[in-house]
Each structure stands twice: as structure tokens, then as C-alpha cells.
Amino acid sequence: MCRKQILFLAPLLIFILSVGACSNSVWDEVPSPISAFISEYFPSSGVSTFNDNEDNYYVKIKNGATLIFDKEYKWLEIDGNGVPLPETLAYNQFPPALFNYLQSIEQQSDVYSVKRDKYYYRLTMENTVISYDISTGKVSYPDGKTVEPA
């Protein structure tokens, strides 16, 4: 083979190998309902780790939130890791009464993490924790104060 052909093919081969390596990323392991959720609420974010165990899926967004989903792809926990969660996530994913309450106290953009199960939502705010009881629709605070959102 001619020396010019080798010089041309070497960079081309390196490029092909690097493109092939990029396609086998952590993002490719994430189930499509979870990747759609991430794309909607954390656009332009990559996934640094993805773990799948018997009960849940664990996702760590690069320089961002940590998310836990159940096996039906429903989120159970979203932790902004020191950064507030997107307001659109709160609007779309929280019960309307809870979001409206957050809006009424002007803290819809101050949720740093949220956990939910079939009974409650627990929101970690900058200076407090709010629990929302799904069955009663009441919001409670650590000091025992309870509020019924309008």
C-alpha cells in the first residue's frame, strides 16, 4: 500500500472507531420512557450513570439530578443535588392542588428534591420540608402546621 493511502486511512480509521465507541454510551442503556422523561425535563443533559436492579432504575444526570424510577417507569424520587428542580416538572408532575399551593406561597421554583409513593409527596425546599397527603390533599410542615390548599 502506498504511503499516501496509509496516511489518509489512519485518521479515517480513528474517526470510525471513535464514532462506534460513542454509540455504546450509558444513554443507550436507559429505557425509552425514562429517556423521554429526562429529555423533557432535563434537556441537553447526558446520563453519567444508569443502574437497573430488581426493584428500581437509578439514573444520575451529568452535573445534575439523580432520579429513581420503579419498574413501571414511574418516578419515585428526583433529587436536584443542590439545584432547584425545573418548574415545568413541578407543574406537570405534581398534583394540581400541590402545585397551586406552591404558587400561592411563591415557591414553585424552590423545590430541590421530591419523593413520592402512593400516600404522599415529600418536597425538600430551601428552608423546609413539605409533605402532601394524597388522600386528604393537606400540606404539612415539620413543625406540625397543616394547610389545606385551595
Side-chain angles (χ1 to χ4, degrees), residues 44-66:
S44 304
S45 298
V47 173
S48 63
T49 60
F50 172 74
N51 296 306
D52 175 5
N53 72 17
E54 284 181 22
D55 301 319
N56 299 315
Y57 298 104
Y58 298 86
V59 181
K60 172 70 173 95
I61 295 175
K62 288 181 184 175
N63 302 317
T66 302

Side-chain angles (χ1 to χ4, degrees), residues 13-146:
L13 182 60
I14 291 170
F15 173 77
I16 290 170
L17 290 174
S18 67
V19 169
C22 290
S23 68
N24 189 13
S25 70
V26 175
W27 185 257
D28 295 336
E29 298 174 35
V30 178
S32 59
I34 295 174
S35 62
F37 183 93
I38 293 168
S39 294
E40 182 171 354
Y41 298 112
F42 302 95
S44 304
S45 298
V47 173
S48 63
T49 60
F50 172 74
N51 296 306
D52 175 5
N53 72 17
E54 284 181 22
D55 301 319
N56 299 315
Y57 298 104
Y58 298 86
V59 181
K60 172 70 173 95
I61 295 175
K62 288 181 184 175
N63 302 317
T66 302
L67 303 96
I68 302 173
F69 294 84
D70 67 14
K71 288 299 180 176
E72 295 174 357
Y73 309 115
K74 294 179 184 170
W75 66 267
L76 301 172
E77 185 174 340
I78 305 170
D79 185 343
N81 295 317
V83 176
L85 301 178
E87 187 176 333
T88 56
L89 184 144
Y91 179 79
N92 291 335
Q93 296 293 318
F94 294 179
L98 176 57
F99 181 79
N100 291 339
Y101 175 71
L102 292 173
Q103 236 181 353
S104 74
I105 61 172
E106 297 181 0
Q107 291 198 346
Q108 70 273 14
S109 299
D110 298 331
V111 179
Y112 285 81
S113 70
V114 60
K115 293 180 184 181
R116 74 173 178 184
D117 64 18
K118 61 184 178 179
Y119 304 109
Y120 72 91
Y121 283 71
R122 179 153 304 157
L123 284 60
T124 302
M125 313 296 282
E126 185 172 0
N127 297 317
T128 192
V129 174
I130 295 175
S131 294
Y132 176 79
D133 186 312
I134 295 170
S135 64
T136 66
K138 292 182 180 178
V139 173
S140 58
Y141 289 84
D143 64 4
K145 175 184 168 188
T146 302

